[in-house]
Amino acid sequence: MTKRQDVGSSWISKIRRGGTALAAIGLLGSLGVAASGCDTVALISFSERSFTNIHSSGFTAPPGSCGGVQSGDGEMRLRFVVTDDENRPIRLGEAVDNQSVELDSDSVVLSNGALMQVDELQAPCADSTCDASNGFTCGTAPGLESSSTDDITQCVKVDQGLTVKSESSAVQFVADNDEHQVFGVLLENAGSLDGAPPPGSRGYWDKNGNGVTGDSEDLGTASFAIRETATDADYERTGAVSGVYTAWQEAYKLAFGERRKTYFGLWGFDESTTASPTSYIEQARGGGSEWSNDKGEIESAVYLEYSDASPAREQRANVYESINSVINNQYSTDKMNELGLDRADSVDKQLVVFVDGYDEMRENDGVDIEQVIQTAKENNVRLFVVHLDPKLEDPELLREDPMYPEGQDPCSDNSECKNYEECRQPRGYTDNPGETPTSPGTYAMDQTYCIPKRDEFGRTGPIHDYSRIACETGGGYIYVSSTKSLRSRMEWTPYALDGLWEARVTSGEIFRGKVPFGEALRVHSDMTVTVSGDSRTYSFSQIGSLETGGDSNADDFDTRGVVFATE
């Protein structure tokens, strides 16, 4: 028997099954009852549905251990949604192919398990770069040995113990099908998306760090913005947002058919929106609420206001401050009361946050990850962080943010820094070549601070803080290594409102402590889910669920999960 489970957030403990009694009712017709004047509700025979697809946000550490998956335990959480042939989430107790849906440890099976190092984010690898002391070797992940895709060798370690726990409660339905809903998307709109250099970095840069500019290894003055360092020069994010809105319409139809309300919110942020991120819904309607369930308003927000909003090239990404602001201002019980929602303190709340890197403000604003987690928990918000980290066209042209060290205390070694940083002296800028850089703030140029690091492709790699946020709020950390896969990795998230399942998973290799602690690990596995006797497989893999061919870029299909291990 599948049961729900308290995963550490207060809103999950209130889940009830009552909503599934209305599962035979759905809505056929247009979104936006108020706008269209149409309240027609049609009956759908859910028993004739077929199971067709799986979506997943990947793995997190379990509640109470969000700092990382612990050695000696190895337990993780795997969250996913299963959908039918009409793109509706399949929920506990519903009829599919004339059978009532119940998932357990026999219904969700992992195979071809492996862990991969992230030090080499892009293949191919070499044995000398792999952590031989923990058993990692340069090779191909299980199940991909016959793949025709080029260059997918990585530092890999087979994990035969990567399995769903065997107890009956190992797979649980954790969505809320009884309450009203709000679903929001918060989108970074800082200059890095367009390849703009950080503010204050347009001068001559002492890239080699020898204390003077103008050497052959250094960089001269910067252009306003260049495609070579842009994380999303082709605006793939706009297609992702369009896909999210399309999926949310299914949530609207389902909720409406069950006499529940659901609202949509859309915001953009950069350093200039400190007090309040830009609401594209509010712009579309010309003022008023930042939530809407009106088709015309939402489509105007998605396809006009947001799509026309160019990145703020002279602004940094204040990630934590923006998340905190949106939740405090728009997800509060008072705001739910303003929307006229019954049981305002029990509304099902979800926020998807799109970023292309770390919080660039570091110590330059008043909000950190701990405050974000506290605010999300106090307001019962499930957070999904979608982190785009693509291979850049010319990472040699990237520049250092001269204000990143501001507000920091000097560090002595890397252990004092975040997982994407290194402890070293800042490398500054001058107006003319041959000059000595000076600090633009109060920090000292001769001291060492925690500075972001990049690999040879310009990537920061997975960020531990984002994995923690997913764990603490019952959401997901979706690490995306190519703009081409951004839409497919992000667009399904509204289905989690009504259809989120969770499996308790164990990693045998982390249990044995045979992994590098504190570093990101990519999780490779094939997840097979069986619903009403019909099976589908979702591959956490460098080439996704489909063979892509030898001339394809594996990054475009990479669906591997991310976890961090701790002692």
Side-chain angles (χ1 to χ4, degrees), residues 419-437:
N419 78 290
Y420 57 87
E421 299 172 330
E422 59 185 348
C423 182
R424 63 167 174 82
Q425 289 184 348
R427 297 166 187 170
Y429 298 84
T430 65
D431 292 332
N432 301 293
E435 297 177 341
T436 299

mmCIF file of all heavy atoms in Angstrom, residues 419-437:
data_model
loop_
_atom_site.group_PDB
_atom_site.id
_atom_site.type_symbol
_atom_site.label_atom_id
_atom_site.label_comp_id
_atom_site.label_asym_id
_atom_site.label_seq_id
_atom_site.Cartn_x
_atom_site.Cartn_y
_atom_site.Cartn_z
ATOM 1 N N ASN A 419 31.047 25.565 -2.570
ATOM 2 C CA ASN A 419 31.620 24.514 -3.417
ATOM 3 C C ASN A 419 32.020 25.017 -4.803
ATOM 4 O O ASN A 419 32.829 24.384 -5.480
ATOM 5 C CB ASN A 419 30.639 23.346 -3.550
ATOM 6 C CG ASN A 419 29.513 23.611 -4.543
ATOM 7 O OD1 ASN A 419 28.634 24.432 -4.291
ATOM 8 N ND2 ASN A 419 29.534 22.908 -5.666
ATOM 9 N N TYR A 420 31.497 26.167 -5.244
ATOM 10 C CA TYR A 420 31.841 26.703 -6.563
ATOM 11 C C TYR A 420 32.890 27.815 -6.464
ATOM 12 O O TYR A 420 33.135 28.517 -7.445
ATOM 13 C CB TYR A 420 30.583 27.237 -7.252
ATOM 14 C CG TYR A 420 29.838 28.288 -6.462
ATOM 15 C CD1 TYR A 420 30.175 29.637 -6.556
ATOM 16 C CD2 TYR A 420 28.811 27.930 -5.595
ATOM 17 C CE1 TYR A 420 29.511 30.597 -5.814
ATOM 18 C CE2 TYR A 420 28.146 28.880 -4.854
ATOM 19 C CZ TYR A 420 28.498 30.211 -4.968
ATOM 20 O OH TYR A 420 27.836 31.160 -4.222
ATOM 21 N N GLU A 421 33.505 27.983 -5.307
ATOM 22 C CA GLU A 421 34.486 29.048 -5.094
ATOM 23 C C GLU A 421 35.859 28.473 -4.755
ATOM 24 O O GLU A 421 35.991 27.299 -4.389
ATOM 25 C CB GLU A 421 34.043 29.951 -3.936
ATOM 26 C CG GLU A 421 32.727 30.659 -4.147
ATOM 27 C CD GLU A 421 32.247 31.386 -2.904
ATOM 28 O OE1 GLU A 421 32.573 30.926 -1.778
ATOM 29 O OE2 GLU A 421 31.531 32.398 -3.031
ATOM 30 N N GLU A 422 36.861 29.338 -4.848
ATOM 31 C CA GLU A 422 38.200 29.020 -4.386
ATOM 32 C C GLU A 422 38.747 30.208 -3.604
ATOM 33 O O GLU A 422 38.357 31.356 -3.843
ATOM 34 C CB GLU A 422 39.128 28.694 -5.562
ATOM 35 C CG GLU A 422 39.263 29.819 -6.573
ATOM 36 C CD GLU A 422 40.096 29.418 -7.775
ATOM 37 O OE1 GLU A 422 40.745 28.367 -7.712
ATOM 38 O OE2 GLU A 422 40.090 30.161 -8.783
ATOM 39 N N CYS A 423 39.637 29.930 -2.673
ATOM 40 C CA CYS A 423 40.202 30.978 -1.833
ATOM 41 C C CYS A 423 41.468 31.528 -2.503
ATOM 42 O O CYS A 423 42.466 30.811 -2.634
ATOM 43 C CB CYS A 423 40.525 30.414 -0.443
ATOM 44 S SG CYS A 423 41.184 31.615 0.724
ATOM 45 N N ARG A 424 41.434 32.771 -2.918
ATOM 46 C CA ARG A 424 42.590 33.394 -3.572
ATOM 47 C C ARG A 424 42.453 34.913 -3.540
ATOM 48 O O ARG A 424 41.405 35.459 -3.142
ATOM 49 C CB ARG A 424 42.734 32.911 -5.013
ATOM 50 C CG ARG A 424 41.572 33.264 -5.926
ATOM 51 C CD ARG A 424 41.941 33.037 -7.377
ATOM 52 N NE ARG A 424 40.836 33.218 -8.302
ATOM 53 C CZ ARG A 424 40.423 34.385 -8.773
ATOM 54 N NH1 ARG A 424 41.013 35.521 -8.357
ATOM 55 N NH2 ARG A 424 39.431 34.454 -9.643
ATOM 56 N N GLN A 425 43.490 35.608 -3.971
ATOM 57 C CA GLN A 425 43.447 37.053 -4.051
ATOM 58 C C GLN A 425 42.576 37.503 -5.233
ATOM 59 O O GLN A 425 42.555 36.845 -6.281
ATOM 60 C CB GLN A 425 44.854 37.623 -4.220
ATOM 61 C CG GLN A 425 45.732 37.518 -2.980
ATOM 62 C CD GLN A 425 47.077 38.189 -3.186
ATOM 63 O OE1 GLN A 425 47.441 38.543 -4.297
ATOM 64 N NE2 GLN A 425 47.830 38.358 -2.106
ATOM 65 N N PRO A 426 41.882 38.625 -5.081
ATOM 66 C CA PRO A 426 41.125 39.178 -6.218
ATOM 67 C C PRO A 426 42.068 39.627 -7.328
ATOM 68 O O PRO A 426 43.239 39.947 -7.078
ATOM 69 C CB PRO A 426 40.402 40.383 -5.604
ATOM 70 C CG PRO A 426 40.486 40.199 -4.131
ATOM 71 C CD PRO A 426 41.736 39.427 -3.870
ATOM 72 N N ARG A 427 41.570 39.658 -8.533
ATOM 73 C CA ARG A 427 42.316 40.152 -9.690
ATOM 74 C C ARG A 427 41.560 41.349 -10.252
ATOM 75 O O ARG A 427 40.466 41.198 -10.782
ATOM 76 C CB ARG A 427 42.468 39.040 -10.735
ATOM 77 C CG ARG A 427 43.273 37.862 -10.189
ATOM 78 C CD ARG A 427 43.145 36.633 -11.055
ATOM 79 N NE ARG A 427 43.779 35.483 -10.423
ATOM 80 C CZ ARG A 427 43.680 34.230 -10.843
ATOM 81 N NH1 ARG A 427 42.934 33.962 -11.920
ATOM 82 N NH2 ARG A 427 44.280 33.248 -10.213
ATOM 83 N N GLY A 428 42.179 42.537 -10.109
ATOM 84 C CA GLY A 428 41.444 43.766 -10.344
ATOM 85 C C GLY A 428 41.618 44.388 -11.710
ATOM 86 O O GLY A 428 42.217 43.809 -12.633
ATOM 87 N N TYR A 429 41.104 45.600 -11.846
ATOM 88 C CA TYR A 429 41.015 46.314 -13.114
ATOM 89 C C TYR A 429 41.673 47.689 -13.012
ATOM 90 O O TYR A 429 41.752 48.288 -11.935
ATOM 91 C CB TYR A 429 39.545 46.479 -13.512
ATOM 92 C CG TYR A 429 38.833 45.166 -13.726
ATOM 93 C CD1 TYR A 429 38.289 44.452 -12.653
ATOM 94 C CD2 TYR A 429 38.723 44.617 -15.000
ATOM 95 C CE1 TYR A 429 37.645 43.235 -12.849
ATOM 96 C CE2 TYR A 429 38.076 43.407 -15.201
ATOM 97 C CZ TYR A 429 37.541 42.720 -14.124
ATOM 98 O OH TYR A 429 36.912 41.513 -14.320
ATOM 99 N N THR A 430 42.135 48.179 -14.147
ATOM 100 C CA THR A 430 42.688 49.531 -14.233
ATOM 101 C C THR A 430 42.145 50.239 -15.470
ATOM 102 O O THR A 430 41.640 49.603 -16.398
ATOM 103 C CB THR A 430 44.224 49.497 -14.302
ATOM 104 O OG1 THR A 430 44.626 48.866 -15.534
ATOM 105 C CG2 THR A 430 44.825 48.748 -13.123
ATOM 106 N N ASP A 431 42.295 51.557 -15.485
ATOM 107 C CA ASP A 431 41.845 52.335 -16.645
ATOM 108 C C ASP A 431 42.830 52.255 -17.801
ATOM 109 O O ASP A 431 42.451 52.408 -18.972
ATOM 110 C CB ASP A 431 41.650 53.798 -16.247
ATOM 111 C CG ASP A 431 40.472 53.985 -15.297
ATOM 112 O OD1 ASP A 431 39.539 53.164 -15.365
ATOM 113 O OD2 ASP A 431 40.507 54.931 -14.492
ATOM 114 N N ASN A 432 44.087 51.997 -17.459
ATOM 115 C CA ASN A 432 45.134 51.960 -18.482
ATOM 116 C C ASN A 432 46.038 50.755 -18.262
ATOM 117 O O ASN A 432 46.222 50.299 -17.121
ATOM 118 C CB ASN A 432 45.980 53.242 -18.421
ATOM 119 C CG ASN A 432 45.150 54.490 -18.624
ATOM 120 O OD1 ASN A 432 44.625 54.717 -19.711
ATOM 121 N ND2 ASN A 432 45.028 55.292 -17.564
ATOM 122 N N PRO A 433 46.629 50.202 -19.334
ATOM 123 C CA PRO A 433 47.555 49.078 -19.163
ATOM 124 C C PRO A 433 48.805 49.519 -18.418
ATOM 125 O O PRO A 433 49.220 50.679 -18.486
ATOM 126 C CB PRO A 433 47.870 48.665 -20.603
ATOM 127 C CG PRO A 433 47.622 49.892 -21.414
ATOM 128 C CD PRO A 433 46.498 50.608 -20.752
ATOM 129 N N GLY A 434 49.412 48.556 -17.685
ATOM 130 C CA GLY A 434 50.633 48.835 -16.954
ATOM 131 C C GLY A 434 50.414 49.393 -15.567
ATOM 132 O O GLY A 434 51.378 49.650 -14.836
ATOM 133 N N GLU A 435 49.140 49.561 -15.157
ATOM 134 C CA GLU A 435 48.840 50.093 -13.833
ATOM 135 C C GLU A 435 48.562 48.968 -12.841
ATOM 136 O O GLU A 435 48.298 47.825 -13.220
ATOM 137 C CB GLU A 435 47.641 51.038 -13.907
ATOM 138 C CG GLU A 435 47.877 52.275 -14.767
ATOM 139 C CD GLU A 435 46.648 53.155 -14.866
ATOM 140 O OE1 GLU A 435 45.530 52.665 -14.588
ATOM 141 O OE2 GLU A 435 46.818 54.333 -15.242
ATOM 142 N N THR A 436 48.600 49.317 -11.551
ATOM 143 C CA THR A 436 48.318 48.366 -10.482
ATOM 144 C C THR A 436 46.857 48.498 -10.061
ATOM 145 O O THR A 436 46.420 49.597 -9.708
ATOM 146 C CB THR A 436 49.217 48.610 -9.276
ATOM 147 O OG1 THR A 436 50.579 48.430 -9.675
ATOM 148 C CG2 THR A 436 48.893 47.649 -8.139
ATOM 149 N N PRO A 437 46.083 47.390 -10.096
ATOM 150 C CA PRO A 437 44.671 47.473 -9.710
ATOM 151 C C PRO A 437 44.507 47.860 -8.244
ATOM 152 O O PRO A 437 45.316 47.491 -7.384
ATOM 153 C CB PRO A 437 44.144 46.054 -9.957
ATOM 154 C CG PRO A 437 45.094 45.445 -10.931
ATOM 155 C CD PRO A 437 46.429 46.039 -10.602
#
